Amino acid sequence: MNFSVPDLRVSFTFPPLRALAVVAGLATVALGMLVMVGWHLRLPALIQIHPDLVPMQYNTAMGFLLSGIGLLLASGNYWRGTLVFGSAVGLIGGLTLAQLILGVDLGLDQMFMQHYITVATSQPGRMAPNTALCFALAGVALLIAGLERCGRRRWQAVSLLCALMVGLGFVALIGYLLDIPTAYGWGNLTRMAVHTALGFMVLGGGLMALSWQSEMAERDWRPWGIGVITATITITLWQALHAANARSTGLAEELMLVFGLIMAFALAHSVADSQKLRRAADATRSALALLSQEIAERKKAEEQVRKMAFHDALTQLPNRRLLNERLSQALVASKRSACFGAVMFLDLDNFKPLNDTHGHGIGDLLLIEVATRLTGCVREIDTVARFGGDEFVVLLNELEMDCAESTAQAGLVASKICAALSEPYHLTVCDTVEAGTTVAHRCTASIGIALFTQQEVSQDEILKRADAAMYQAKASGRNQVLFYEPSH
């Protein structure tokens, strides 16, 4: 019996914000586990930061453990698990709030642990009201995150809920730093522990990072999240200061509230504006890249069109049109430098029998090979063109100022061409029924040459002279080179 082993490999490649959410989830799980171990092993150093400060209740630690696991599951897109742990966290926070609001005891506070440290605790084991509120917010945020069918827009609500949680935790931490007890304790009820405040900031920050990463394709709500955090901190600090100075009637708290709310709005607006500018810059860069790509493609297309207009499709050599341009330029250069030039008209001998015997495919292969050999026999300043069929034209530029020397130089090039073309050809069939068959062939050429210099002679006349010399070479027995000689 064959058993298939599932692939248990885990990919640790995360986008930056998702990686931050994973780190926050691990930190929250570690915080909850350490405090729970401290309660079980009776290690006060793990339960409270200082003997005079409020401890983290066992249910609070368990809430952090469940919340951290829920955050890790959400980071890995395990939505069913996120729903389960979000429900558990929300239940802990919601039932505790119900006890505080209704003034009842549901037996939840010491269900899992008999608490032996009760510093600044209204009832053994009962978490602070702001702690319960934060867990309720975290539970609802995880529940919403787990509702995959709601799409990416659900992360907007998650971001705002977590902003409230981060704001409450930050205010409690500021209360400890500035010695404002009303910032981390509401009335005579249990106060939020300092490491609890830190835990909510880490947990809320991780959930916000995950929500921002997940909603990037939708409308970006980061400015609103930052604004909510700032407004929450402002309002909560105002409430704490107002409660601490209940007997005074100064305007400092009201001014702080107004200034803080204005700052929250201004901060959110500035972040939104900066994101608009960034998106505009990204759009501009994308448009420029697209425009650059279109320009490059257009230039490439124009180059292809130009090549098709001026080059032979089979051999990629210049065609008649480009040959005429090059010959016109050569005539102008000859008049300026007083140097001779030469036009060679070349026709392959016995090309038709090869086509008739083996087909046009083999004939095309021969023409391509002939073009390659011709190009290898001349200089870069010279031109090899296909005139049509099995006819080629070679244009030699800037020979010598003396006619005899130029004639000798053109004759040497023609002899080199004849030698190159007379070498055996091995032509392999590729696209017929006989694909893979190699045809051996020998080929010669008849060449007619016409020199030109400063005399007033048209391009057509020069080509006609070279053509006439080529036909004379064919009539003389083929595989010959003849120069045009004017009749007297």
Side-chain angles (χ1 to χ4, degrees):
M1 182 179 296
N2 295 327
F3 294 94
S4 60
V5 180
D7 188 359
L8 299 179
R9 292 174 297 179
V10 179
S11 173
F12 292 95
T13 302
F14 292 100
L17 290 176
R18 190 176 294 271
L20 183 62
V22 171
V23 172
L26 292 173
T28 306
V29 169
L31 174 63
M33 291 184 65
L34 283 174
V35 175
M36 291 174 69
V37 168
W39 279 105
H40 284 288
L41 300 182
R42 293 183 175 272
L43 298 174
L46 297 180
I47 301 173
Q48 55 189 149
I49 301 298
H50 188 272
D52 295 333
L53 297 179
V54 61
M56 181 186 293
Q57 308 300 326
Y58 189 87
N59 285 356
T60 302
M62 185 169 60
F64 277 127
L65 175 63
L66 297 176
S67 300
I69 295 174
L71 176 55
L72 291 174
L73 291 173
S75 301
N77 297 332
Y78 296 103
W79 306 121
R80 292 185 179 178
T82 304
L83 288 172
V84 171
F85 282 89
S87 300
V89 173
L91 192 63
I92 291 175
L95 289 177
T96 303
L97 283 176
Q99 290 184 134
L100 293 168
I101 295 173
L102 300 177
V104 297
D105 186 359
L106 302 178
L108 179 67
D109 301 327
Q110 301 198 84
M111 179 181 295
F112 304 101
M113 172 62 60
Q114 293 296 319
H115 292 70
Y116 46 85
I117 300 177
T118 58
V119 177
T121 303
S122 60
Q123 184 172 335
R126 179 163 295 181
M127 66 178 67
N130 43 357
T131 300
L133 177 58
C134 287
F135 277 129
L137 294 173
V140 174
L142 288 172
L143 283 173
I144 295 174
L147 298 175
E148 185 182 9
R149 63 179 181 274
C150 295
R152 290 186 174 182
R153 298 190 67 86
R154 71 189 189 278
W155 294 106
Q156 300 167 4
V158 173
S159 178
L160 296 179
L161 290 172
C162 294
L164 291 171
M165 179 171 35
V166 171
L168 291 172
F170 182 80
V171 168
L173 181 62
I174 291 296
Y176 278 103
L177 295 176
L178 301 181
D179 193 22
I180 307 175
T182 52
Y184 53 85
W186 293 359
N188 296 323
L189 300 175
T190 303
R191 296 174 177 178
M192 180 185 288
V194 61
H195 43 326
T196 300
L198 287 170
F200 282 126
M201 292 178 64
V202 172
L203 175 62
L207 279 169
M208 289 184 71
L210 181 61
S211 66
W212 291 346
Q213 176 67 48
S214 301
E215 68 171 344
M216 277 185 175
E218 300 289 341
R219 181 181 177 184
D220 198 341
W221 280 68
R222 273 176 279 189
W224 297 105
I226 294 173
V228 169
I229 291 176
T230 308
T232 302
I233 293 172
T234 300
I235 295 173
T236 311
L237 276 177
W238 170 80
Q239 181 270 334
L241 291 173
H242 188 74
N245 302 321
R247 295 181 180 180
S248 63
T249 58
L251 296 177
E253 294 86 359
E254 283 71 14
L255 291 176
M256 186 205 73
L257 176 62
V258 174
F259 179 76
L261 292 177
I262 293 175
M263 285 298 298
F265 176 79
L267 182 61
H269 195 271
S270 63
V271 173
D273 287 343
S274 67
Q275 289 186 339
K276 288 180 181 178
L277 292 175
R278 186 196 64 191
R279 285 193 291 268
D282 292 341
T284 302
R285 283 193 294 268
S286 299
L288 290 176
L290 181 60
L291 181 61
S292 177
Q293 181 180 356
E294 290 180 354
I295 292 174
E297 291 176 353
R298 179 173 295 180
K299 287 183 177 180
K300 184 178 179 180
E302 291 175 353
E303 184 63 27
Q304 291 177 346
V305 171
R306 175 176 174 81
K307 188 172 183 180
M308 292 175 62
F310 290 94
H311 290 78
D312 176 61
L314 177 63
T315 62
Q316 304 303 311
L317 292 177
N319 57 16
R320 291 191 186 189
R321 185 176 181 180
L322 185 53
L323 173 65
N324 288 329
E325 288 188 8
R326 298 276 178 86
L327 182 53
S328 176
Q329 295 169 4
L331 288 171
V332 174
S334 177
K335 290 179 180 180
R336 183 175 59 250
S337 64
C339 291
F340 279 83
V343 171
M344 296 183 182
F345 213 109
L346 182 150
D347 185 84
L348 300 180
D349 298 327
N350 299 317
F351 176 72
K352 187 175 183 301
L354 176 69
N355 259 349
D356 294 341
T357 303
H358 298 286
H360 292 285
I362 288 294
D364 289 344
L365 292 177
L366 177 65
L367 294 175
I368 294 172
E369 180 62 23
V370 167
T372 302
R373 296 186 186 187
L374 286 174
T375 305
C377 293
V378 298
R379 303 165 297 177
E380 290 187 2
I381 63 172
D382 301 325
T383 299
V384 178
R386 185 184 178 195
F387 202 73
D390 60 342
E391 295 178 335
F392 296 85
V393 174
V394 177
L395 173 61
L396 301 179
N397 294 307
E398 300 179 9
L399 296 178
E400 302 294 336
M401 299 179 68
D402 182 72
C403 181
E405 293 180 359
S406 298
T407 301
Q409 190 173 353
L412 288 174
V413 175
S415 299
K416 184 179 179 182
I417 290 174
C418 288
L421 297 183
S422 63
E423 292 291 329
Y425 295 85
H426 299 281
L427 310 171
T428 302
V429 182
C430 298
D431 56 352
T432 65
V433 178
E434 300 178 355
T437 303
T438 300
V439 175
H441 181 70
R442 284 186 176 274
C443 178
T444 59
S446 300
I447 302 176
I449 305 174
L451 296 177
F452 61 87
T453 183
Q454 304 177 64
Q455 71 269 24
E456 296 294 335
V457 180
S458 67
Q459 297 175 216
D460 292 340
E461 181 62 27
I462 296 173
L463 291 172
K464 286 179 181 180
R465 290 178 179 182
D467 186 40
M470 181 269 294
Y471 275 105
Q472 188 177 356
K474 275 189 172 293
S476 301
R478 303 186 179 184
N479 192 24
Q480 293 190 34
V481 177
L482 292 180
F483 284 83
Y484 171 78
E485 294 181 0
S487 58
H488 298 286

